[in-house]
Amino acid sequence: MADSQATRQALRVFLTGASSGIGMALARAYAQQGATLGLVARRAAELEALRASLPDAQRHRVYALDVTDHAALQAAADAFMAEFGGADVVIANAGISQGTLTEYREDLAAFERILAVNVIATFATFTPFVARMKALPEEARRRCRLVGIGSVAGIRGLPGAEAYSASKAAVISYCESLRVELRSSGIKVVTIAPGYIDTPMTQVNHYRMPFLMPVEKFAARALQSIAEGVSYRVIPWQMGVVAKLLRMLPNWLYDMAFARAPHKKRNL
């Protein structure tokens, strides 16, 4: 009887971008807590390897797809909800980054791809779940979380990262709009803005990264923030202080300070 009750109370978590980096760390952390996971990423082999490494591997489901394929993403969400009766936590984590410069016309495709993955797919990830969550009894709704992964890079535009900064600023604003929209429902919309986290995405950077945090430590703090239902949190907190200070700088001073900042490499 106790086991049955624990199973009913286990979180059902649907997570995109699960095959590496922050997504993989979040998956491992939730699995350790006994959650049932729906894991989404493009690479089927990496997803299967991740699932096999998790506690109670047979409890979890994997969906190999590109989040810009909105029909496939909808089908995966529908399949997860049909099998497990819904979802408690939905994390739109899929994201890509590369340097882009407006002066190069060939960077337009990269700009479009970054916005499609980082912004449009966040909407497409949440869409299948909102109506189902709103139809739940009040107590169950208050357990629900829609989680967007922003970035400190979305707080002020970084040179050489035009597409990435724009995409993460859009995620932050979109999640804020959704949070206000869903306030009366009791569903929490949580925005997590990572600073520099030690993942494959940052390991290619050739410049100094202040307050670089191990991804496992980030995941633990993110899970706590999601459970608390905070509206917005920068992790690590030191980068949150930096971000607030940067936001306060007048444009002329910010421009002067960052005009020669190092650029993320373009994919040539």
Side-chain angles (χ1 to χ4, degrees):
M1 185 71 173
D3 288 345
S4 175
Q5 184 176 7
T7 299
R8 288 197 303 271
Q9 293 177 346
L11 286 176
R12 299 160 297 179
V13 179
F14 189 85
L15 167 65
T16 67
S19 63
S20 67
I22 285 174
M24 179 180 286
L26 291 172
R28 293 190 187 283
Y30 271 117
Q32 289 293 332
Q33 291 187 355
T36 296
L37 305 179
L39 304 172
V40 176
R42 288 180 300 163
R43 300 174 294 179
E46 284 80 353
L47 276 178
E48 289 291 355
L50 172 59
R51 177 168 70 165
S53 72
L54 298 176
D56 297 319
Q58 74 283 353
R59 187 174 70 235
H60 313 300
R61 299 294 177 266
V62 297
Y63 308 98
L65 59 91
D66 190 315
V67 292
T68 63
D69 184 342
H70 302 151
L73 186 56
Q74 175 79 50
D78 288 343
F80 184 79
M81 288 189 286
E83 182 169 3
F84 299 107
D88 305 295
V89 178
V90 179
I91 306 176
N93 169 71
I96 56 176
S97 175
Q98 73 177 72
T100 51
L101 293 173
T102 302
E103 66 186 280
Y104 296 104
R105 182 174 177 78
E106 59 267 30
D107 283 6
L108 178 59
F111 208 110
E112 290 177 329
R113 174 70 178 169
I114 289 168
L115 291 179
V117 173
N118 296 4
V119 184
I120 306 303
T122 297
F123 176 96
T125 299
F126 292 160
T127 296
F129 297 96
V130 174
R132 285 285 296 269
M133 288 179 171
K134 290 178 74 173
L136 293 170
E138 181 179 358
E139 184 177 350
R141 289 199 306 271
R142 295 189 180 282
R143 194 185 190 205
C144 293
R145 304 285 187 268
L146 300 172
V147 183
I149 304 298
S151 171
V152 170
I155 295 171
R156 296 215 70 157
L158 298 177
E162 297 155 0
Y164 187 70
S165 285
S167 73
K168 291 305 185 178
V171 167
I172 292 169
S173 291
Y174 162 64
C175 287
E176 184 168 62
S177 295
L178 185 61
R179 184 181 77 240
V180 176
E181 177 185 330
L182 294 178
R183 185 177 185 276
S184 63
S185 73
I187 299 166
K188 300 292 187 182
V189 179
V190 177
T191 305
I192 303 293
Y196 290 113
I197 311 301
D198 190 6
T199 68
M201 184 182 287
T202 59
Q203 286 163 7
V204 301
N205 292 343
H206 60 284
Y207 46 81
R208 179 177 171 272
M209 294 177 283
F211 311 115
L212 182 67
M213 174 179 275
V215 70
E216 296 81 10
K217 190 172 182 179
F218 168 85
R221 294 190 180 180
L223 261 65
Q224 180 180 356
S225 299
I226 293 166
E228 293 171 358
V230 301
S231 60
Y232 175 84
R233 180 156 291 166
V234 177
I235 303 173
W237 67 266
Q238 295 94 330
M239 284 303 295
V241 174
V242 171
K244 287 181 179 179
L245 293 174
L246 290 178
R247 188 69 269 174
M248 293 169 61
L249 288 180
N251 286 348
W252 68 267
L253 184 54
Y254 177 80
D255 295 353
M256 182 183 300
F258 279 81
R260 296 185 180 181
H263 288 30
K264 182 178 283 289
K265 289 184 178 180
R266 295 169 60 235
N267 288 357
L268 301 178

